[in-house]
Amino acid sequence: MSDDLRDLYQEVILDHGRRPRNFRHPEAANRTAKGDNPLCGDRVSVYLEVGPDGIIRDAAFEGRGCAISTASASLMTETLKGKTEEEARALFRALRDMCTGHESDAESAAAGGAGEDDLDRLRVLSGVRNFPMRVKCATLPWQAVLAALAGDAKATTE
Ligand code: ZN
């Protein structure tokens, strides 16, 4: 990775960490879950509105965490809108693979429904692979979304 690219990624993470997108609790949310990363102290609540067709219509979050977890949650909510549950799972696998240095797996996940634009957006977080303690910060919001989609905390806000 070039220095320029690393600086750009850093800038995006700081921007999303300071001004997170979709930091709110939508009234229409019908799937929610909490995530907790005691290693770092990150806590996140995710809110999804999933339509009868299985498409994620809205994604938002609230919580407190480090810049990485906040930026990851912010980027995640931007990525999830319009996706199916299956695509959300594929994106999570792709992000996890990027964060642990298994890019080729991330590319195979692309074939499973994740678009190249989505992968580019998430790739700004790939630098955490050099900081193993921070991988959980990046994956936490996604794990909360997977829990919400699996129905673990289904209908909390209904
Ligand atoms: Zn963290």
Side-chain angles (χ1 to χ4, degrees):
M1 194 185 296
S2 72
D3 284 350
D4 283 354
L5 198 53
R6 192 173 297 126
D7 288 349
L8 173 69
Y9 284 2
Q10 184 79 4
E11 212 164 287
V12 173
I13 288 169
L14 288 175
D15 178 47
H16 279 264
R18 283 186 194 127
R19 298 186 306 113
R21 318 309 194 261
N22 303 301
F23 192 87
R24 56 191 165 81
H25 185 164
E27 294 262 320
N30 52 16
R31 310 281 185 94
T32 83
K34 288 187 191 331
D36 185 10
N37 175 20
L39 266 181
C40 181
D42 308 313
R43 284 168 181 273
V44 64
S45 295
V46 298
Y47 310 108
L48 302 175
E49 180 191 351
V50 181
D53 52 3
I55 306 278
I56 297 169
R57 296 204 175 140
D58 194 11
F61 78 104
E62 289 177 332
R64 289 179 66 84
C66 66
I68 299 283
S69 69
T70 303
S72 179
S74 175
L75 291 159
M76 176 186 77
T77 56
E78 287 195 318
T79 307
L80 284 179
K81 281 181 213 178
K83 299 295 191 298
T84 63
E85 299 191 17
E86 196 49 50
E87 287 166 342
R89 287 195 190 90
L91 283 163
F92 168 68
R93 286 195 296 274
L95 174 73
R96 190 193 53 201
D97 292 343
M98 282 177 201
C99 291
T100 52
H102 298 95
E103 273 299 345
S104 59
D105 294 340
E107 276 152 31
S108 67
E116 200 50 46
D117 289 353
D118 296 321
L119 295 179
D120 283 345
R121 185 187 279 130
L122 299 179
R123 194 163 283 128
V124 301
L125 293 159
S126 62
V128 300
R129 75 179 56 167
N130 299 315
F131 307 93
M133 291 281 288
R134 311 314 294 274
V135 172
K136 286 188 176 177
C137 302
T139 55
L140 174 71
W142 287 88
Q143 281 165 339
V145 158
L146 261 52
L149 290 173
D152 289 346
K154 192 158 116 180
T156 310
T157 60
E158 282 182 358

